[in-house]
């Protein structure tokens, strides 16, 4: 009879076996596309999602707004670095507060989280 300990020990090696098996049989290009392949992919077409010209304005349901190149460059840069998020949040808040000349600032995920965090700040 198979013991629980032996089963768990055997299952712990599955990701390693699966990774080696998948890489050798399927190939790198299907698992992780090269940057050139990613640029030429039309993700929305692959998913069957229709794109459109937004004449309505900035609405979350319409994916908000298009990001300027500076924003996408910053996202790409940040995606390749590791940082302590608490330290980053503090420094960004300090920088924004300095720019708008106020005591403090904080980046939030949206209006609802800003209200929640503001309320927590007042109560603490």
């Amino acid at each position: 009879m198979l013991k629980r300990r032996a089963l768990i020990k055997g299952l712990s090696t599955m990701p390693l076996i699966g990774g080696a098996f998948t890489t050798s049989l399927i190939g790198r290009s299907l698992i992780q596309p090269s940057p050139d392949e990613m640029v030429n992919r039309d993700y929305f077409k692959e998913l069957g999602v229709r794109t459109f010209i937004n004449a309505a304005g900035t609405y979350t349901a319409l994916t908000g707004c298009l990001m300027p190149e500076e924003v996408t460059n910053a996202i790409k840069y940040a995606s390749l670095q590791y940082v302590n998020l608490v330290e980053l949040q503090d420094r960004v808040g300090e920088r924004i507060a300095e720019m708008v000349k106020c005591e403090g600032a904080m980046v939030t995920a949206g209006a609802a989280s800003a209200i929640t965090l503001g309320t927590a700040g007042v109560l603490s």
Side-chain angles (χ1 to χ4, degrees), residues 6-88:
L7 177 65
I8 292 172
K9 193 175 184 180
L11 288 176
S12 69
T13 62
M14 291 302 287
L16 297 173
I17 294 168
F21 181 74
T22 306
T23 303
S24 63
L25 287 183
I26 296 177
R28 177 174 157 67
S29 65
L30 293 177
I31 295 171
Q32 184 179 11
S34 72
D36 292 334
E37 291 172 325
M38 290 176 69
V39 168
N40 296 326
R41 287 181 70 178
D42 186 345
Y43 298 103
F44 296 125
K45 190 173 186 177
E46 289 178 23
L47 294 170
V49 175
R50 202 171 36 99
T51 60
F52 59 91
I53 297 172
N54 182 4
T58 305
Y59 294 102
T60 303
L62 302 178
T63 60
C65 64
L66 299 179
M67 290 184 267
E69 188 175 352
E70 295 86 1
V71 174
T72 56
N73 288 342
I75 291 170
K76 184 176 179 180
Y77 169 79
S79 71
L80 300 172
Q81 308 289 325
Y82 289 107
V83 296
N84 182 309
L85 286 179
V86 174
E87 182 182 4
L88 177 64

Side-chain angles (χ1 to χ4, degrees), residues 94-107:
E94 290 169 6
R95 179 68 59 91
I96 292 171
E98 181 182 297
M99 291 169 66
V100 298
K101 297 177 178 41
C102 67
E103 286 183 31
M106 177 179 273
V107 176

